[in-house]
Amino acid sequence: MSKKYRQYIGIAVAVLMYYVVHEGAHLLVALAQGVFKRINFIGLGVQIDVFAEQLSSEQMGVFCLAGAVATLLAGWMLVVLTGKICAIKSGVVRACGWYTSLTLLMLDPIYLSIFYRWVGGGDMNGIALLLPEGVVSLIAAVVGIINAMLIWKLLYPAYTKSFAGAQ
């Protein structure tokens, strides 16, 4: 399979896995709290809707934080498994591992440190019920920098080596 098609498949799987992990965590928390309303499909996106009026501020904060924590933990798990993923013979699976790792490690830190300001706040609105917005943004930025260093120092060399000589 050509490099281009591996990349397309890898990116599509990464987006799908992000939604499964991030929104799946929101769904599990909503179900555990007994406030799940429905799953909204917004364009290509997915959103877990809850009966917000039934939640305390702390519960709403936990609900909103769950997605970012889940993606961070899943991303770090993929970092730990990088050697095993890179040893897999399938270039498609390795591409999926690469793009999914990048997405899970970087998307929420970038969103929570910078982009939430321009898209209505999203999860930050609830997380800010637990901690001040500036503190959350700073923590997200630090986590993003740490994750970027993990990508640069560990993931990039490992995946580059695993794809050396691939078509």
Side-chain angles (χ1 to χ4, degrees):
M1 180 176 293
S2 76
K3 177 181 177 181
K4 180 172 74 170
Y5 289 116
R6 279 196 316 262
Q7 289 173 329
Y8 289 149
I9 292 168
I11 291 166
V13 167
V15 170
L16 178 64
M17 291 308 299
Y18 174 81
Y19 279 125
V20 167
V21 173
H22 185 97
E23 297 302 328
H26 287 313
L27 178 61
L28 291 175
V29 171
L31 290 169
Q33 294 175 336
V35 295
F36 173 72
K37 187 187 281 186
R38 69 178 159 263
I39 299 174
N40 295 322
F41 293 93
I42 305 165
L44 294 177
V46 178
Q47 179 187 51
I48 304 302
D49 197 4
V50 296
F51 294 102
E53 64 279 357
Q54 296 177 13
L55 293 171
S56 68
S57 294
E58 292 79 17
Q59 289 172 313
M60 180 59 85
V62 168
F63 169 77
C64 290
L65 185 60
V69 170
T71 58
L72 183 64
L73 293 175
W76 286 346
M77 183 178 67
L78 288 175
V79 170
V80 170
L81 296 173
T82 297
K84 291 183 187 291
I85 296 168
C86 288
I88 294 171
K89 290 185 182 196
S90 169
V92 173
V93 172
R94 285 181 282 136
C96 291
W98 168 245
Y99 288 108
T100 300
S101 296
L102 292 178
T103 302
L104 294 177
L105 289 170
M106 296 306 298
L107 196 58
D108 282 328
I110 291 171
Y111 173 76
L112 289 172
S113 62
I114 301 168
F115 291 117
Y116 75 91
R117 293 169 176 93
W118 295 289
V119 291
D123 286 339
M124 179 61 91
N125 293 333
I127 298 169
L129 297 171
L130 299 174
L131 294 167
E133 189 176 301
V135 171
V136 175
S137 187
L138 179 62
I139 291 169
V142 170
V143 168
I145 291 167
I146 291 168
N147 288 351
M149 289 172 32
L150 281 172
I151 291 165
W152 183 252
K153 294 293 185 180
L154 295 174
L155 296 179
Y156 181 73
Y159 279 100
T160 299
K161 183 178 178 184
S162 80
F163 281 109
Q167 299 295 328

